[in-house]
Amino acid sequence: MAQQFDVVVIGSGPAGYIAAIKAAQLGKSTACIEKWVDHSGKTSLGGTCLNVGCIPSKALLESSEKFHQAQSEFSDHGINIKDVKIDVKAMMARKDAIVSNLTGGIAGLFKANGVTSIEGKGKLLANKKVEVTKHDGSVEVIEAGSVVLAMGSVPIEIPPTPLHKDIIVDSTGALAFDHVPKRVGVIGAGVIGLELGSVWNRVGSDVIILEALDKFLPFADQMIAKSALKVFEKQGLSIRLSCRVTGSEVKGKTVVVTYQDAEGEKTVEFDKLIVAVGRRPYTEGCFSDDSGVTMDERGFVFVDDQCRTTVPGVYAVGDLVRGPMLAHKGMEEGVMVAEIIAGHNAQMNYETIPSVIYTHPEISWVGKTEEQLKAEGVEFKVGKMPFAAVGRAMAQNDTTGMVKIIADAKTDRILGMHIFGLSSSELIAQGVISMEFAASAEDLQLTCFAHPTLSEAVHDAALAVDGKALHIPNPKRRK
Ligand code: FAD
Ligand code: AMP
């Protein structure tokens, strides 16, 4: 007889593993199917995020930033070290150890919560049946009360730059170079391109980022994007906008890239080329023709606001569905869907999902940008606080950037928070919480913040919304 579960989750990335754990915690018999195998041939849970995404990229960003600081900034503190060297193998080994620790941790959480882990590729059939093709080729069919699709996403490949061994690589390849390449090209100045470009720039590569659009980070606050562009250029990243890559030719151990800019066709040679032009939902071989699941025009599984697909009892979460391709967005959807399956009311607030770019300094935001609000015809007021006026930032030798808060001109409700600065990935939680609780700028103005902290910039930015900032000379006063 076929195995039966209340809930079957396909994919153990952040969206899938959270859905599985939550469903089990709510008393449902739950299985999670995963096809990912690591270098040693062992199944690895955790999806893109843990294996080749959020976690390994942050591990390398941390190592490379420490190297850069030891080389260029420690002397400001009176710490003089000669001959600072980067050991790429050790840096990679540290990253790999973190990855295996965390992926093993998910296996532990599954055991602890009673989630049955099934190795192989899952395929949704009609009537909530799921076919699993094991790594040895054997096939099993499982019956489910509810199915959660969480197959995630894969890097987009573009015809001008087909991947080639370790020369033209995607983000996964760029997390595993075994030495510091001399010349690194990155296609795409999006989040992933900037993070990976930063890693290799910091450890000594000459990095050129080619971006087809004429605007830098068009989805971010444009004042912050402009100031970040200048900072990144100063760090040595060459970010070339309005450059569309049209071709590539591998010549021995190098690659010659052709691109088009305002002046016409140009070429540039690299030792490594990282293709970082975005990701697409992964659905190949995951549905039978009669599964009933439908996709939208961009290939995302079509779902409603509560992640229900067009098939009753089948849900889809994470990168597979509309919305930002972010691990925490998928996790929240995983929780929501498990709650709904357990018969509870659940919904999620898509308006307060934070975004972070883990460059140095980090760029983080939540809510609307000035540009969006103008387009929507909403009247707003803005408060800004530069870190240059924050004591803790000075003590930390890092005064780049600012906190910017946007509030509704009529209601004072906070509509957006945008931060370019040290540890902004942590600070932005204050914006998320404020917006989740529908706080006004005045609510933050009346809040006591510890001194000396970077968070004081959030306080002063909130005060600045009404011209009341205490630490900026000549704040614009409102009568
Ligand atoms: P995935 O993590 O892609 O997981 C899907 C899983 O399903 C995979 O393990 C896959 O093997 C499995 N699977 C697919 N099909 C089947 C099948 N048929 N049967 C069985 N298993 C299947 N996001 C952030 O929020 N913060 C970051 O800092 C961040 N950094 C990133 C850095 C990089 C370099 C990259 C590439 C991504 C980064 N992301 C980041 C994005 C983040 O990784 C994704 O948003 C997140 O992993 C999506 O989660 P998911 O569960 O939807 O899918
Ligand atoms: P993201 O989707 O945030 O990961 O960013 C990917 C970036 O790659 C986008 O800003 C695209 O404009 C850019 N891009 C896509 N194709 C090309 C190309 N052929 N040449 C240069 N940039 C590209």
Side-chain angles (χ1 to χ4, degrees), residues 34-110:
E34 177 55 63
K35 68 177 177 59
W36 197 296
V37 280
D38 66 14
H39 306 292
S40 64
K42 252 181 53 194
T43 292
S44 187
L45 305 177
T48 304
C49 172
L50 264 52
N51 288 284
V52 294
C54 323
I55 296 299
S57 61
K58 265 79 259 177
L60 296 186
L61 280 158
E62 198 61 40
S63 299
S64 58
E65 181 57 22
K66 286 205 159 34
F67 173 69
H68 164 77
Q69 287 181 355
Q71 226 182 15
S72 315
E73 291 175 14
F74 277 15
S75 57
D76 295 345
H77 297 269
I79 305 167
N80 293 307
I81 323 174
K82 279 203 190 107
D83 284 339
V84 182
K85 288 201 182 76
I86 185 82
D87 176 346
V88 175
K89 286 202 172 67
M91 177 171 84
M92 292 295 168
R94 190 189 85 96
K95 172 210 66 170
D96 292 340
I98 295 165
V99 168
S100 62
N101 195 3
L102 282 170
T103 54
I106 304 293
L109 285 174
F110 275 4

Side-chain angles (χ1 to χ4, degrees), residues 168-179:
I168 306 181
V169 298
D170 57 16
S171 55
T172 302
L175 292 168
F177 294 154
D178 58 6
H179 65 283

Side-chain angles (χ1 to χ4, degrees), residues 10-16 33-36 44 46-55 57-58 120-123 150-153 171 175 192 195-196 279 282 284-286 317-320 324-328 330 356 358:
I10 308 183
S12 73
I33 308 168
E34 177 55 63
K35 68 177 177 59
W36 197 296
S44 187
T48 304
C49 172
L50 264 52
N51 288 284
V52 294
C54 323
I55 296 299
S57 61
K58 265 79 259 177
K121 176 161 179 168
K123 180 178 185 177
M151 285 95 75
S153 64
S171 55
L175 292 168
I192 293 175
E195 291 184 5
L196 294 173
R279 299 179 62 81
Y282 174 77
E284 284 97 321
C286 298
V317 290
D319 281 11
L320 195 60
M325 287 178 140
L326 293 169
H328 43 284
V356 179
Y358 292 82

Side-chain angles (χ1 to χ4, degrees), residues 116-135:
T116 303
S117 197
I118 299 179
E119 300 177 1
K121 176 161 179 168
K123 180 178 185 177
L124 180 73
L125 312 177
N127 302 322
K128 293 182 286 182
K129 290 197 168 89
V130 179
E131 179 188 277
V132 185
T133 305
K134 306 276 175 65
H135 299 311

Side-chain angles (χ1 to χ4, degrees), residues 191-210:
V191 179
I192 293 175
L194 283 172
E195 291 184 5
L196 294 173
S198 295
V199 167
W200 295 107
N201 176 51
R202 291 171 191 169
V203 295
S205 302
D206 293 327
V207 177
I208 297 177
I209 304 184
L210 300 168

Side-chain angles (χ1 to χ4, degrees), residues 34-35 62 91 105 122 134 165 168 176 180 199 203 226 252 257 260 275 287 308 326 355 368 370 377 383 386 463:
E34 177 55 63
K35 68 177 177 59
E62 198 61 40
M91 177 171 84
K134 306 276 175 65
K165 296 181 184 160
I168 306 181
V180 178
V199 167
V203 295
K226 279 183 194 135
V257 171
Q260 195 82 32
V275 184
F287 302 108
R308 293 182 189 90
L326 293 169
S355 294
K368 299 274 169 81
E370 272 196 48
L463 288 164

